[in-house]
Amino acid sequence: NAGVTQTPKFQVLKTGQSMTLQCAQDMNHNSMYWYRQDPGMGLRLIYYSASEGTTDKGEVPNGYNVSRLNKREFSLRLESAAPSQTSVYFCASGVGALNSPLHFGNGTRLTVT
Amino acid sequence: EDKVVQSPLSLVVHEGDTVTLNCSYEVTNFRSLLWYKQEKKAPTFLFMLTSSGIEKKSGRLSSILDKKELFSILNITATQTGDSAIYLCALKETSGSRLTFGEGTQLTVNP
Protein backbone atom coordinates (compact mmCIF):
# COMPACT_ATOMS: atom_id res chain seq x y z
CA ASN A 1 0.00 0.00 0.00
CA ALA A 2 1.49 3.31 -1.08
CA GLY A 3 -0.73 5.47 1.16
CA VAL A 4 0.26 9.13 0.74
CA THR A 5 3.10 9.78 -1.71
CA GLN A 6 4.95 13.07 -1.89
CA THR A 7 7.46 14.21 -4.49
CA PRO A 8 10.15 15.37 -4.47
CA LYS A 9 11.75 14.28 -1.18
CA PHE A 10 14.30 17.08 -1.24
CA GLN A 11 14.53 20.37 -3.11
CA VAL A 12 16.84 23.37 -3.06
CA LEU A 13 15.58 26.60 -4.61
CA LYS A 14 16.99 30.06 -5.04
CA THR A 15 14.96 33.03 -3.84
CA GLY A 16 12.37 33.93 -6.45
CA GLN A 17 12.20 30.53 -8.11
CA SER A 18 8.94 28.66 -8.34
CA MET A 19 8.10 25.02 -7.83
CA THR A 20 5.22 22.63 -7.23
CA LEU A 21 5.13 19.96 -4.55
CA GLN A 22 3.12 16.95 -5.59
CA CYS A 23 0.96 14.74 -3.37
CA ALA A 24 -1.14 11.72 -4.25
CA GLN A 25 -3.12 9.31 -2.10
CA ASP A 26 -4.54 5.95 -3.05
CA MET A 27 -6.91 5.48 -0.11
CA ASN A 28 -9.94 7.14 -1.71
CA HIS A 29 -9.86 9.85 0.96
CA ASN A 30 -12.05 12.91 0.60
CA SER A 31 -9.89 15.40 2.50
CA MET A 32 -6.31 16.40 1.80
CA TYR A 33 -3.99 18.80 3.60
CA TRP A 34 -0.68 20.57 3.31
CA TYR A 35 1.30 21.28 6.50
CA ARG A 36 4.68 22.78 7.11
CA GLN A 37 6.85 21.81 10.05
CA ASP A 38 9.46 24.11 11.54
CA PRO A 39 11.53 23.64 14.71
CA GLY A 40 9.61 24.76 17.78
CA MET A 41 6.44 25.46 15.75
CA GLY A 42 4.84 22.05 15.37
CA LEU A 43 2.83 21.34 12.24
CA ARG A 44 1.00 24.32 10.80
CA LEU A 45 -1.76 24.00 8.24
CA ILE A 46 -1.13 25.83 4.96
CA TYR A 47 -4.14 24.84 2.86
CA TYR A 48 -6.62 22.05 2.84
CA SER A 49 -9.22 20.53 0.58
CA ALA A 50 -12.25 19.07 2.31
CA SER A 51 -13.41 17.40 -0.88
CA GLU A 52 -12.65 17.27 -4.58
CA GLY A 53 -13.25 20.67 -6.10
CA THR A 54 -12.84 22.72 -2.91
CA THR A 55 -9.82 24.32 -1.27
CA ASP A 56 -9.50 26.55 1.78
CA LYS A 57 -6.80 28.52 3.53
CA GLY A 58 -5.28 27.23 6.71
CA GLU A 59 -3.12 28.95 9.30
CA VAL A 60 -0.24 30.09 7.09
CA PRO A 61 -1.38 30.36 3.45
CA ASN A 62 0.61 33.40 2.35
CA GLY A 63 3.06 32.67 -0.46
CA TYR A 64 1.38 29.41 -1.47
CA ASN A 65 -1.31 28.19 -3.82
CA VAL A 66 -2.91 24.80 -4.13
CA SER A 67 -4.76 22.73 -6.68
CA ARG A 68 -7.00 19.75 -6.00
CA LEU A 69 -6.48 18.18 -9.38
CA ASN A 70 -8.78 15.23 -8.72
CA LYS A 71 -9.71 13.11 -5.73
CA ARG A 72 -6.23 11.56 -5.56
CA GLU A 73 -3.96 14.55 -6.07
CA PHE A 74 -3.38 17.79 -4.18
CA SER A 75 -0.46 19.99 -5.20
CA LEU A 76 1.19 22.91 -3.43
CA ARG A 77 2.81 25.67 -5.45
CA LEU A 78 5.35 28.27 -4.41
CA GLU A 79 5.24 31.03 -7.03
CA SER A 80 8.24 33.01 -5.78
CA ALA A 81 10.16 31.14 -3.09
CA ALA A 82 11.52 33.00 -0.08
CA PRO A 83 14.04 31.86 2.58
CA SER A 84 11.17 31.94 5.13
CA GLN A 85 9.63 29.04 3.21
CA THR A 86 12.55 26.78 4.08
CA SER A 87 10.77 23.98 5.91
CA VAL A 88 9.63 20.39 5.79
CA TYR A 89 6.31 20.06 4.01
CA PHE A 90 3.88 17.27 4.78
CA CYS A 91 0.85 16.25 2.80
CA ALA A 92 -1.90 14.36 4.62
CA SER A 93 -5.23 12.85 3.76
CA GLY A 94 -8.26 11.71 5.69
CA VAL A 95 -11.60 10.11 5.17
CA GLY A 96 -13.20 13.36 6.24
CA ALA A 97 -15.32 11.72 8.90
CA LEU A 98 -15.25 13.34 12.31
CA ASN A 99 -13.62 10.40 14.08
CA SER A 100 -10.81 9.40 11.81
CA PRO A 101 -7.06 10.13 11.92
CA LEU A 102 -5.02 11.72 9.17
CA HIS A 103 -2.46 9.78 7.18
CA PHE A 104 0.76 11.58 6.34
CA GLY A 105 3.24 11.41 3.51
CA ASN A 106 6.97 11.21 4.23
CA GLY A 107 7.57 14.89 3.70
CA THR A 108 9.50 17.17 1.35
CA ARG A 109 12.51 18.98 2.74
CA LEU A 110 12.73 22.34 1.00
CA THR A 111 15.62 24.76 1.33
CA VAL A 112 15.42 28.25 -0.17
CA THR A 113 18.73 30.09 -0.39
CA GLU B 1 -7.78 30.41 17.33
CA ASP B 2 -7.27 26.96 18.82
CA LYS B 3 -4.15 26.68 20.94
CA VAL B 4 -2.44 23.44 21.85
CA VAL B 5 0.52 23.46 24.23
CA GLN B 6 2.74 20.48 24.86
CA SER B 7 5.18 20.00 27.70
CA PRO B 8 7.94 19.38 28.16
CA LEU B 9 9.36 20.41 24.80
CA SER B 10 12.19 17.94 25.22
CA LEU B 11 12.91 15.10 27.57
CA VAL B 12 15.90 12.77 27.99
CA VAL B 13 15.48 9.54 29.94
CA HIS B 14 17.16 6.16 30.35
CA GLU B 15 15.81 2.89 29.07
CA GLY B 16 13.29 1.45 31.50
CA ASP B 17 12.08 4.81 32.77
CA THR B 18 8.41 5.79 32.65
CA VAL B 19 7.54 9.10 31.01
CA THR B 20 4.45 11.28 30.98
CA LEU B 21 3.93 13.76 28.16
CA ASN B 22 1.43 16.55 28.56
CA CYS B 23 -0.90 18.29 26.15
CA SER B 24 -3.10 21.18 27.25
CA TYR B 25 -5.48 23.17 25.14
CA GLU B 26 -7.60 26.29 25.31
CA VAL B 27 -10.72 25.36 23.39
CA THR B 28 -13.69 23.56 24.90
CA ASN B 29 -15.50 22.76 21.68
CA PHE B 30 -13.63 20.13 19.68
CA ARG B 31 -14.33 16.70 18.36
CA SER B 32 -11.31 14.68 19.44
CA LEU B 33 -7.69 14.85 20.54
CA LEU B 34 -5.08 12.82 18.72
CA TRP B 35 -1.54 11.71 19.52
CA TYR B 36 1.05 11.02 16.81
CA LYS B 37 4.60 9.69 16.95
CA GLN B 38 7.10 11.16 14.52
CA GLU B 39 10.44 9.52 13.98
CA LYS B 40 12.48 10.48 10.95
CA LYS B 41 9.67 11.03 8.50
CA ALA B 42 5.88 11.08 8.60
CA PRO B 43 3.90 11.27 11.83
CA THR B 44 2.22 7.97 12.60
CA PHE B 45 -1.09 7.74 14.42
CA LEU B 46 -1.12 6.53 18.03
CA PHE B 47 -4.42 7.36 19.71
CA MET B 48 -7.65 9.25 19.23
CA LEU B 49 -9.47 10.37 22.38
CA THR B 50 -13.03 11.62 22.30
CA SER B 51 -14.38 10.96 25.77
CA SER B 52 -13.09 12.23 29.06
CA GLY B 53 -11.71 9.74 31.56
CA ILE B 54 -11.49 6.73 29.26
CA GLU B 55 -7.95 5.41 28.92
CA LYS B 56 -6.71 4.20 25.56
CA LYS B 57 -3.92 1.64 25.75
CA SER B 58 -1.57 0.08 23.25
CA GLY B 59 1.24 -2.02 24.67
CA ARG B 60 3.44 0.20 26.81
CA LEU B 61 1.66 3.36 25.67
CA SER B 62 -1.50 4.74 27.18
CA SER B 63 -3.37 8.02 26.99
CA ILE B 64 -6.26 9.73 28.68
CA LEU B 65 -8.25 12.91 28.16
CA ASP B 66 -9.58 15.25 30.84
CA LYS B 67 -12.14 17.57 29.25
CA LYS B 68 -12.84 19.36 32.50
CA GLU B 69 -9.23 20.38 33.09
CA LEU B 70 -8.51 20.69 29.34
CA PHE B 71 -5.54 18.37 29.04
CA SER B 72 -4.40 14.98 27.89
CA ILE B 73 -1.42 12.85 28.88
CA LEU B 74 0.53 10.21 27.04
CA ASN B 75 2.29 7.67 29.23
CA ILE B 76 5.08 5.39 28.11
CA THR B 77 6.23 2.72 30.56
CA ALA B 78 9.48 0.76 30.42
CA THR B 79 10.84 3.05 27.72
CA GLN B 80 13.06 1.67 24.96
CA THR B 81 15.50 3.42 22.62
CA GLY B 82 12.96 2.87 19.84
CA ASP B 83 10.58 5.20 21.67
CA SER B 84 12.88 8.11 20.83
CA ALA B 85 10.80 10.42 18.64
CA ILE B 86 8.78 13.59 18.57
CA TYR B 87 5.33 13.09 20.06
CA LEU B 88 2.66 15.36 18.64
CA CYS B 89 -0.70 16.22 20.12
CA ALA B 90 -3.47 17.60 17.89
CA LEU B 91 -7.04 18.78 18.25
CA LYS B 92 -9.65 17.88 15.68
CA GLU B 93 -12.25 20.57 15.12
CA THR B 94 -15.95 19.92 15.57
CA SER B 95 -16.75 20.07 11.86
CA GLY B 96 -14.55 18.65 9.15
CA SER B 97 -11.25 16.95 9.88
CA ARG B 98 -8.73 19.77 10.27
CA LEU B 99 -6.10 19.27 12.96
CA THR B 100 -4.36 21.89 15.08
CA PHE B 101 -1.03 20.62 16.34
CA GLY B 102 1.04 21.42 19.38
CA GLU B 103 4.78 22.02 19.10
CA GLY B 104 5.62 18.46 19.99
CA THR B 105 7.75 16.83 22.69
CA GLN B 106 11.15 15.53 21.62
CA LEU B 107 11.74 12.35 23.64
CA THR B 108 15.21 10.81 23.73
CA VAL B 109 15.66 7.43 25.39
CA ASN B 110 19.29 6.58 26.12
CA PRO B 111 20.48 2.99 26.60
Side-chain angles (χ1 to χ4, degrees):
Chain A
N1 286 339
V4 180
T5 304
Q6 289 183 235
T7 56
K9 293 182 181 178
F10 302 94
Q11 184 71 51
V12 179
L13 293 177
K14 293 185 178 178
T15 297
Q17 287 185 316
S18 62
M19 79 160 294
T20 300
L21 281 65
Q22 307 288 351
C23 175
Q25 51 91 8
D26 61 2
M27 296 173 282
N28 202 35
H29 284 168
N30 293 317
S31 304
M32 297 186 74
Y33 307 80
W34 276 104
Y35 287 88
R36 60 177 289 174
Q37 187 174 35
D38 304 290
M41 305 287 283
L43 281 153
R44 292 181 294 168
L45 183 65
I46 305 171
Y47 269 94
Y48 70 104
S49 171
S51 61
E52 186 179 357
T54 68
T55 61
D56 285 287
K57 294 179 180 179
E59 217 181 323
V60 288
N62 291 345
Y64 305 95
N65 283 301
V66 290
S67 295
R68 184 75 184 267
L69 305 169
N70 47 56
K71 193 170 186 179
R72 289 186 65 249
E73 298 173 288
F74 189 39
S75 61
L76 178 72
R77 182 158 179 84
L78 286 72
E79 290 291 350
S80 178
S84 61
Q85 294 178 304
T86 293
S87 187
V88 180
Y89 291 84
F90 286 98
C91 177
S93 70
V95 172
L98 295 177
N99 284 334
S100 62
L102 295 187
H103 299 261
F104 285 83
N106 283 329
T108 295
R109 185 173 292 276
L110 175 67
T111 302
V112 183
T113 60
Chain B
E1 186 177 306
D2 298 351
K3 188 168 174 63
V4 181
V5 178
Q6 292 187 244
S7 63
L9 293 180
S10 67
L11 185 59
V12 180
V13 300
H14 292 288
E15 267 193 318
D17 288 350
T18 293
V19 297
T20 298
L21 309 183
N22 300 288
C23 175
S24 64
Y25 51 89
E26 294 182 357
V27 296
T28 55
N29 194 21
F30 66 96
R31 184 67 185 178
S32 54
L33 185 145
L34 291 87
W35 284 96
Y36 285 84
K37 177 183 181 182
Q38 184 178 20
E39 296 174 86
K40 292 183 179 177
K41 293 185 176 178
T44 54
F45 172 74
L46 293 176
F47 297 112
M48 177 183 285
L49 305 162
T50 55
S51 301
S52 196
I54 298 175
E55 185 184 53
K56 291 279 183 90
K57 197 168 172 67
S58 176
R60 296 176 293 103
L61 278 67
S62 63
S63 185
I64 197 162
L65 175 64
D66 186 329
K67 284 189 172 182
K68 183 179 176 185
E69 300 297 329
L70 307 184
F71 76 93
S72 173
I73 59 172
L74 175 68
N75 276 322
I76 309 175
T77 59
T79 52
Q80 302 170 357
T81 55
D83 294 327
S84 296
I86 297 172
Y87 289 85
L88 296 163
C89 167
L91 283 185
K92 195 169 197 180
E93 60 184 23
T94 51
S95 60
S97 52
R98 290 175 54 180
L99 294 179
T100 300
F101 283 86
E103 298 168 321
T105 293
Q106 172 75 63
L107 174 65
T108 302
V109 182
N110 289 324

